Amino acid sequence: GEDVEQSLFLSVREGDSSVINCTYTDSSSTYLYWYKQEPGAGLQLLTYIFSNMDMKQDQRLTVLLNKKDKHLSLRIADTQTGDSAIYFCAERKNAGNMLTFGGGTRLMVKP
Amino acid sequence: SAVISQKPSRDICQRGTSLTIQCQVDSQVTMMFWYRQQPGQSLTLIATANQGSEATYESGFVIDKFPISRPNLTFSTLTVSNMSPEDSSIYLCSVVTVGRHEQYFGPGTRLTVT
């Protein structure tokens, strides 16, 4: 199977919280990343977490890491229409600096 | 964060021609990479651009098709050679900055091959 998996689509209402999930397979992953891609744009680094942490918070964003289950999530509090985009998770393996990306989750925020 | 610029931002090219994409970073970086994002898809690593030596290519990508240069710490080029419609993609430059773990991406070059 794929190294990094994400659900394809998530729809939420403005003001609600969004939770985007990601699973990975390599237990030697050192860093895990979340990127945002708006239509026609490049990738914006949102946040990242080191594999020895289980949570990281940055303003409206909360990253949770369950290393035992190899599960990563990104929670966006008070989701706004400007948060509508594709969100990619990515893992960096222990050896080298290559990032392996998930397929991306399209977040749609309804007013 | 690193500020990355790419030129051109987009281009429409004819089959059989070649296009060179430039990537410039505003600070010294340790690693530079080139990724491809095919329409509606995720990102795939093409190669790692090594300063002063040949790039390191991932499986499925070869130097004859995607020659890469990196003459210094802040600049790299990717050439897409002998293009076909299947090469229509967004090509993104990516960097890791010195002493940091963040990896940043450029705005991408949107290539359409007719």
Side-chain angles (χ1 to χ4, degrees), chain B residues 34-107:
Chain B
W34 287 98
Y35 284 79
R36 181 175 75 180
Q37 186 178 26
Q38 294 178 298
Q41 302 295 314
S42 186
L43 281 78
T44 302
L45 179 64
I46 297 171
T48 302
N50 300 310
Q51 185 196 359
S53 64
E54 190 172 292
T56 304
Y57 290 85
E58 297 301 310
S59 174
F61 298 95
V62 295
I63 187 171
D64 289 346
K65 176 67 176 177
F66 297 102
I68 288 170
S69 78
R70 188 181 173 190
N72 58 52
L73 286 173
T74 62
F75 183 79
S76 178
T77 67
L78 166 74
T79 299
V80 186
S81 303
N82 187 24
M83 288 183 283
S84 67
E86 292 72 33
D87 294 319
S88 297
S89 293
I90 301 172
Y91 292 86
L92 299 110
C93 173
S94 180
V95 304
V96 175
T97 53
V98 174
R100 307 286 297 178
H101 301 290
E102 295 92 341
Q103 183 160 340
Y104 298 101
F105 284 80

Side-chain angles (χ1 to χ4, degrees), chain A residues 31 33 35 37 40-43 45 48 88 92 97-99 101-104, chain B residues 31 33 35 37 41-43 45 58 92 96 101-107 110:
Chain A
Y31 289 88
Y33 299 79
Y35 289 89
Q37 187 177 37
L43 268 70
L45 176 63
Y48 68 98
F88 292 95
R92 182 188 302 285
N97 288 282
M98 175 180 163
L99 286 187
F101 282 84
Chain B
M31 309 285 288
F33 307 91
Y35 284 79
Q37 186 178 26
Q41 302 295 314
S42 186
L43 281 78
L45 179 64
E58 297 301 310
L92 299 110
V96 175
H101 301 290
E102 295 92 341
Q103 183 160 340
Y104 298 101
F105 284 80
R110 187 179 295 271

Side-chain angles (χ1 to χ4, degrees), chain A residues 5-9 20 86-89 101-106, chain B residues 42:
Chain A
E5 293 191 351
Q6 301 178 237
S7 53
L8 287 176
F9 188 76
I20 303 170
I86 300 175
Y87 290 80
F88 292 95
C89 67
F101 282 84
T105 299
R106 183 179 295 274
Chain B
S42 186

Side-chain angles (χ1 to χ4, degrees), chain A:
Chain A
E2 296 293 328
D3 288 323
V4 183
E5 293 191 351
Q6 301 178 237
S7 53
L8 287 176
F9 188 76
L10 176 65
S11 178
V12 300
R13 294 213 171 271
E14 190 173 19
D16 288 348
S17 292
S18 307
V19 180
I20 303 170
N21 294 302
C22 173
T23 57
Y24 60 99
T25 57
D26 191 338
S27 58
S28 71
S29 295
T30 54
Y31 289 88
L32 296 125
Y33 299 79
W34 283 104
Y35 289 89
K36 175 184 180 183
Q37 187 177 37
E38 297 182 79
L43 268 70
Q44 175 192 352
L45 176 63
L46 292 176
T47 187
Y48 68 98
I49 189 168
F50 186 45
S51 59
N52 70 351
M53 299 170 64
D54 52 19
M55 188 183 87
K56 181 178 181 181
Q57 187 159 1
D58 183 1
Q59 299 182 342
R60 291 192 298 124
L61 304 179
T62 302
V63 178
L64 295 178
L65 175 61
N66 182 328
K67 198 171 181 181
K68 173 176 172 289
D69 294 338
K70 301 187 186 68
H71 182 266
L72 181 74
S73 68
L74 174 69
R75 178 177 180 269
I76 306 172
D78 187 24
T79 313
Q80 303 297 306
T81 54
D83 294 324
S84 294
I86 300 175
Y87 290 80
F88 292 95
C89 67
E91 63 171 349
R92 182 188 302 285
K93 298 187 194 308
N94 194 33
N97 288 282
M98 175 180 163
L99 286 187
T100 301
F101 282 84
T105 299
R106 183 179 295 274
L107 174 65
M108 177 180 289
V109 182
K110 298 178 181 177

